[in-house]
Amino acid sequence: MKRIYKGKTKLRVQIDTKCDLSGYEEVNVIAKKPDDTTKTFPAIVKDVENGLIFFDIQEETDFDLSGWWTLWPEVRFDDDRTACGRATRFFVYESGCV
């Protein structure tokens, strides 16, 4: 399935930060919704050296609006440095089933 649908929970979002995450303390993915509000998803680091992270959609309310969303990773390191990754836009569709 290549589309993301509003209200669905069977989804893992994986992001390649393209940077070494050695010494990270906290990694989140920030999502800007179509209504300009934001939501924060705690991310799991899959590969520290290659910078691969992911989060799983847990609740039907995680992607609760259809329209254009923007995601970007945000990393806080153990020495209090922070880094934000490149933002990516994607579309969340209305489901065709009820």
Side-chain angles (χ1 to χ4, degrees), residues 29-33 37-41 55 62-63 69-72 90:
V29 175
I30 312 302
K32 184 178 176 186
K33 298 177 173 191
T37 60
T38 59
K39 183 173 182 90
T40 301
F41 297 97
F55 69 94
D62 284 346
F63 284 159
W69 288 61
T70 305
L71 287 180
W72 64 91
F90 64 96

Side-chain angles (χ1 to χ4, degrees), residues 4 8-15 44 46 53-58 63:
I4 298 172
K8 302 303 175 191
T9 58
K10 185 78 171 166
L11 177 66
R12 172 169 284 177
V13 178
Q14 184 169 299
I15 298 172
I44 296 170
K46 183 175 182 179
I53 65 172
F54 72 90
F55 69 94
D56 292 326
I57 299 301
Q58 301 291 321
F63 284 159

